[in-house]
């Protein structure tokens, strides 16, 4: 009898030790979105960005930004502001060297990407001049459309205000020429305009309009923006 009790006690002990019904599963790690990178170099609106001479017309610039959390790769979008040409460059670190034309304006921004989520984060956009040999006066940066924004559609109206942003590292913008219409070549509707907006521009419902800005400075330099577009319902 005593031997049977010992066996029963051991069986209960084994059952108690092997029980795992109350164990909880490990929590699934939370996937986090990449954070926004902070641009470092070339600096915003810098006029004397210099790199390593590659050829008589080109130099190599090392772009740099601060690392962002939860990021596996960075995509640098570079726009040549005279031609409008856009190129994209990928880096696994917070630096990348790119060969650029001298005496030419550019803009750039960084998109932070993750291998585990589809969401991305885009930095601010900075502009700079890649310095040329002996450049003492710089053409203005091509103007940016503020309103109507590019490819936007407006509610029915008969007048709009064109609004844009002009900038120049020399801070000597003098006037703007505004070209506007529905067909190319676009006519100049205002020349030597001193403000960065133009009110009461006539439009018609159902039409699509194109416009661009020529920015002039006090030294006789000028730049042409890209052609912007909007429609009116």
């Amino acid at each position: 009898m005593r031997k049977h009790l010992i066996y029963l006690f051991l069986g209960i002990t084994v059952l108690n030790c092997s029980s795992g019904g109350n164990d909880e599963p490990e929590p699934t790690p939370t996937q986090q979105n990449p954070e926004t990178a902070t641009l470092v170099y070339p600096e915003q609106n810098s006029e004397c960005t210099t790199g390593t001479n590659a050829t008589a017309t080109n130099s190599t610039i090392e772009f740099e930004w601060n690392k962002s959390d939860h990021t596996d790769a960075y995509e640098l979008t570079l726009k040549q502001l005279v031609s409008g040409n856009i190129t994209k460059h990928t880096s696994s670190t917070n630096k990348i060297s790119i060969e650029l034309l001298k005496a030419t304006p550019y803009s750039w921004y960084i998109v932070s990407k993750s291998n585990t989520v589809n969401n991305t984060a885009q930095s601010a956009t900075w502009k700079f001049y890649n310095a040329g040999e002996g450049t003492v006066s710089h053409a203005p940066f091509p103007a940016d459309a503020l309103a109507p924004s590019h490819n936007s559609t407006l509610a029915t109206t008969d007048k709009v205000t064109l609004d844009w942003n002009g900038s120049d590292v020399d801070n000597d913008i003098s006037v703007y020429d505004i070209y506007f219409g529905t067909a190319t070549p676009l006519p100049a509707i205002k020349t030597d305009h001193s403000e960065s907006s133009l009110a009461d521009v006539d439009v018609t419902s159902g039409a699509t309009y194109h416009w661009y800005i020529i920015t002039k400075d006090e030294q006789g330099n000028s730049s042409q923006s890209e052609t912007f577009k909007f429609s009116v319902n």
Side-chain angles (χ1 to χ4, degrees), residues 97-179:
S97 295
I98 304 174
E99 187 175 314
L100 307 177
L101 282 171
K102 296 179 181 178
T104 303
Y106 291 87
S107 67
W108 68 294
Y109 63 85
I110 294 293
V111 173
S112 303
K113 297 183 175 183
S114 168
N115 292 335
T116 57
V117 297
N118 292 327
N119 293 334
T120 60
Q122 181 173 319
S123 73
T125 299
W126 282 6
K127 296 178 180 179
F128 69 96
Y129 263 93
N130 188 29
E133 301 296 333
T135 301
V136 295
S137 178
H138 305 82
F141 289 116
D144 295 317
L146 299 178
S149 58
H150 185 45
N151 284 330
S152 61
T153 299
L154 307 184
T156 302
T157 183
D158 58 359
K159 291 186 182 294
V160 298
T161 295
L162 302 179
D163 192 13
W164 61 91
N165 179 57
S167 57
D168 188 332
V169 295
D170 300 320
N171 292 317
D172 63 347
I173 291 175
S174 55
V175 292
Y176 302 94
D177 294 343
I178 301 96
Y179 290 76

Side-chain angles (χ1 to χ4, degrees), residues 31-154:
Q31 295 180 334
Q32 295 182 294
N33 295 327
E35 296 189 1
T36 303
T38 302
L39 306 186
V40 175
Y41 187 85
E43 297 176 355
Q44 168 73 315
N45 290 336
S46 58
E47 61 185 88
C48 292
T49 300
T50 56
T52 304
N53 284 334
T55 67
T57 58
N58 292 14
S59 61
T60 300
I61 300 295
E62 185 176 65
F63 291 78
E64 182 179 355
W65 55 94
N66 289 330
K67 293 181 179 179
S68 55
D69 290 337
H70 318 302
T71 301
D72 297 305
Y74 303 92
E75 182 179 77
L76 187 155
T77 297
L78 180 70
K79 183 176 184 180
Q80 207 256 60
L81 295 178
V82 175
S83 67
N85 184 51
I86 295 175
T87 57
K88 295 182 182 293
H89 311 264
T90 301
S91 176
S92 59
T93 70
N94 64 319
K95 294 181 180 181
I96 189 171
S97 295
I98 304 174
E99 187 175 314
L100 307 177
L101 282 171
K102 296 179 181 178
T104 303
Y106 291 87
S107 67
W108 68 294
Y109 63 85
I110 294 293
V111 173
S112 303
K113 297 183 175 183
S114 168
N115 292 335
T116 57
V117 297
N118 292 327
N119 293 334
T120 60
Q122 181 173 319
S123 73
T125 299
W126 282 6
K127 296 178 180 179
F128 69 96
Y129 263 93
N130 188 29
E133 301 296 333
T135 301
V136 295
S137 178
H138 305 82
F141 289 116
D144 295 317
L146 299 178
S149 58
H150 185 45
N151 284 330
S152 61
T153 299
L154 307 184

Side-chain angles (χ1 to χ4, degrees), residues 179-224:
Y179 290 76
F180 179 88
T182 57
T184 55
L186 298 178
I189 60 171
K190 187 79 172 179
T191 59
D192 295 337
H193 183 61
S194 60
E195 304 296 326
S196 59
S197 65
L198 182 64
D200 297 326
V201 177
D202 293 328
V203 294
T204 303
S205 294
T208 297
Y209 291 90
H210 303 263
W211 60 294
Y212 65 84
I213 302 295
I214 292 181
T215 306
K216 303 176 182 177
D217 69 15
E218 295 174 355
Q219 305 302 317
N221 302 310
S222 65
S223 66
Q224 179 176 324

